[in-house]
Amino acid sequence: MRIDKIFYSLLFLVTFNNFSQEVNKGKLIYINSLSNVESVKDWVLEGPAKIEFNNNWLKMYSPNEEGHHVFWCPQDFPGSFIAEWEAQNQEIDAGLCIVFFCAKGLKGESIFDPSMPKRTTGIFTDYTKGAMNDYHISYYANGRDNPNRETANLRKNKGFNLVQTGEIGIPVQSTAIHKMKLVKNEGHITLYIDNRKVIDWTDNGVKYGKVLEDGKIGFRQMQWTHFAYRNFKVWEIQHNK
């Protein structure tokens, strides 16, 4: 057999093996109902926002629409995980929701390390072009600066690199409860809304730098946004052939 045929045969076997592995939930590593003040006592809020609780939902908004904001879970999550939560729009006139994940300092430090620049106003470039690396997905997109965009975008930071424009995220006029599912399996990133896939992209670790690994997860809203959240859970990934 020719060398090139052997090479491509081996490549096929490796590729087939990778795709034959199903992604399943492994160990549950974090669970939070987001239902009361006690549940988020260790979370970190950046930007001029208010957190309220009603009927076991966490509601987040900026009084007088003063500014953008991010609410960080304090736990570090592994480079491969499955995260789920529920989200519901409270005001359909305008808003934009983002999930940050794999957020870490440029030198591998925690984003809360004392050496990191202060982030107190929710300015977007602090998270996309500043002193941290992360991925982010905008899954509700109806900003007053860009109304009715609807499509979900995946970006890789540092650099604000748009790596995929996906399907329509949460519809801009929807007030329904939506079930979110974010899966990061090494370099493969998918986002589902109500079991509908809206993002599906694989980071090859070359074009935009190495694949990002462990780090923080945070929820960001633009200043016009009024959203509610509950039942945030994160699992390790279990591979079954």
Side-chain angles (χ1 to χ4, degrees):
M1 182 180 291
R2 290 174 53 186
I3 297 298
D4 58 344
K5 288 185 177 180
I6 295 174
F7 172 78
Y8 284 112
S9 296
L10 291 172
L11 180 63
F12 172 79
L13 289 174
V14 171
T15 303
F16 178 80
N17 183 64
N18 286 339
F19 279 99
S20 66
Q21 293 181 333
E22 294 182 3
V23 177
N24 295 314
K25 293 174 181 175
K27 179 183 177 182
L28 180 65
I29 54 177
Y30 188 82
I31 181 169
N32 194 324
S33 64
L34 304 179
S35 60
N36 53 55
V37 174
E38 185 68 17
S39 68
V40 294
K41 65 180 182 180
D42 296 328
W43 285 51
V44 178
L45 179 63
E46 297 172 350
K50 188 170 183 179
I51 305 297
E52 296 180 341
F53 298 91
N54 186 25
N55 294 325
N56 296 318
W57 284 86
L58 181 154
K59 296 185 178 182
M60 182 163 61
Y61 66 97
S62 179
N64 302 314
E65 299 183 348
E66 182 181 349
H68 314 318
H69 41 277
V70 183
F71 203 29
W72 290 104
C73 179
Q75 183 160 323
D76 279 304
F77 295 102
S80 295
F81 64 85
I82 299 172
E84 294 182 358
W85 67 98
E86 293 175 277
Q88 184 181 36
N89 195 359
Q90 307 295 293
E91 303 229 358
I92 61 174
D93 59 330
L96 192 142
C97 293
I98 282 173
V99 58
F100 286 115
F101 53 103
C102 303
K104 214 167 187 181
L106 298 179
K107 298 178 181 179
E109 68 271 44
S110 167
I111 62 170
F112 302 131
D113 190 277
S115 65
M116 292 286 286
K118 298 295 183 183
R119 303 179 305 272
T120 58
T121 59
I123 296 174
F124 202 27
T125 52
D126 287 347
Y127 308 96
T128 61
K129 296 181 179 181
M132 69 171 68
N133 292 317
D134 59 70
Y135 300 100
H136 81 255
I137 299 174
S138 50
Y139 57 88
Y140 176 77
N142 186 30
R144 290 213 177 111
D145 56 346
N146 187 14
N148 301 307
R149 191 193 83 198
E150 288 203 301
T151 54
N153 284 345
L154 169 61
R155 293 183 184 267
K156 184 178 180 181
N157 307 299
K158 182 179 178 177
F160 199 59
N161 302 294
L162 178 61
V163 296
Q164 186 175 76
T165 297
E167 304 298 322
I168 291 175
I170 293 177
V172 296
Q173 297 298 310
S174 176
T175 58
I177 297 171
H178 295 280
K179 295 183 181 297
M180 314 296 299
K181 181 179 180 180
L182 172 64
V183 181
K184 182 178 180 292
N185 183 17
E186 298 178 352
H188 188 201
I189 297 169
T190 51
L191 179 74
Y192 300 83
I193 300 177
D194 304 323
N195 295 317
R196 176 176 58 89
K197 188 187 294 182
V198 299
I199 290 290
D200 188 345
W201 180 73
T202 299
D203 189 344
N204 62 16
V206 176
K207 186 173 183 179
Y208 300 104
K210 66 178 184 179
V211 176
L212 304 182
E213 296 296 337
D214 58 307
K216 297 283 195 297
I217 294 177
F219 298 102
R220 176 178 173 83
Q221 297 185 165
M222 292 189 79
Q223 64 196 75
W224 317 287
T225 315
H226 292 240
F227 252 73
Y229 306 85
R230 71 178 180 186
N231 297 331
F232 178 53
K233 301 175 183 178
V234 184
W235 293 263
E236 293 179 343
I237 283 180
Q238 174 182 304
H239 294 97
N240 294 324
K241 293 184 180 180

